[in-house]
């Protein structure tokens, strides 16, 4: 259990992926306790460049893309079932961390709905034009 009374999440990343880095940096900025799990390989088009992704990871994100946040990983370890709570897509992961740990570390999004919408506009611009 983390200091906040929540189970420590497992964050699946690949070190060279800018989207995975987004969630990884968010976890660091939030100063939350988490388990960083590195997975290898890329997803290119509709085929895995590394078809040997861990089954544990594919249960968290069946698309095989990083980042992914696995909730309650201790319950999932050794569990072959599909009842794994996972969150994926980088911006969704960042928003989840910011909302789940509002009093930890730095707030990542403004509280004001208009300012939050403006932040999302800039995020979309960077996603579409830069990354």
């Amino acid at each position: 259990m983390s200091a906040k009374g929540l189970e420590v999440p497992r964050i699946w990343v690949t070190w060279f992926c800018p989207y995975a880095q987004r969630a990884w940096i968010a976890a660091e900025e939030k100063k939350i306790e988490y388990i960083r799990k590195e997975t290898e390989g890329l997803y290119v088009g509709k085929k895995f460049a590394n078809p040997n992704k861990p089954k544990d990871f594919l249960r968290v994100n069946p698309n095989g893309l990083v980042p992914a946040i696995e909730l309650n990983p201790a319950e999932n370890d050794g569990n072959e079932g599909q009842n794994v709570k996972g969150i994926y897509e980088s911006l969704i992961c960042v928003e989840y961390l910011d909302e789940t740990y509002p009093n930890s570390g730095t707030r990542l999004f403004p509280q004001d709905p208009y300012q939050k919408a403006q932040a999302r506009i800039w995020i979309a611009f960077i996603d579409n034009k830069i990354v």
Side-chain angles (χ1 to χ4, degrees):
M1 290 287 182
S2 72
K4 301 289 180 195
L6 300 169
E7 180 153 347
V8 176
R10 181 179 293 149
I11 301 178
W12 293 81
V13 298
T14 300
W15 69 268
F16 53 81
C17 175
Y19 298 104
Q21 290 172 4
R22 179 186 281 173
W24 183 9
I25 290 168
E28 288 293 319
E29 282 295 312
K30 294 301 294 176
K31 297 184 181 359
I32 64 167
E33 184 179 352
Y34 67 95
I35 302 163
R36 182 179 169 277
K37 182 74 175 179
E38 185 82 22
T39 185
E40 295 181 10
L42 294 171
Y43 188 77
V44 180
K46 296 191 179 223
K47 295 183 180 179
F48 285 117
N50 175 2
N52 300 318
K53 290 222 178 189
K55 289 180 183 176
D56 290 350
F57 171 62
L58 293 174
R59 290 185 324 177
V60 177
N61 184 354
N63 298 321
L65 301 171
V66 291
I69 299 175
E70 181 179 358
L71 307 176
N72 304 323
E75 291 178 17
N76 302 332
D77 289 344
N79 175 8
E80 294 299 322
Q82 296 298 316
N83 297 328
V84 173
K85 287 185 176 180
I87 297 168
Y88 46 92
E89 297 297 326
S90 64
L91 186 55
I92 294 168
C93 289
V94 170
E95 288 183 2
Y96 173 82
L97 293 173
D98 199 37
E99 292 172 7
T100 303
Y101 302 93
N103 300 319
S104 274
T106 306
R107 280 301 296 202
L108 304 174
F109 288 93
Q111 298 283 63
D112 177 71
Y114 174 77
Q115 291 177 345
K116 189 172 188 177
Q118 291 295 308
R120 286 185 174 146
I121 289 169
W122 280 107
I123 292 166
F125 174 80
I126 290 168
D127 278 348
N128 294 327
K129 302 291 184 186
I130 297 174
V131 181

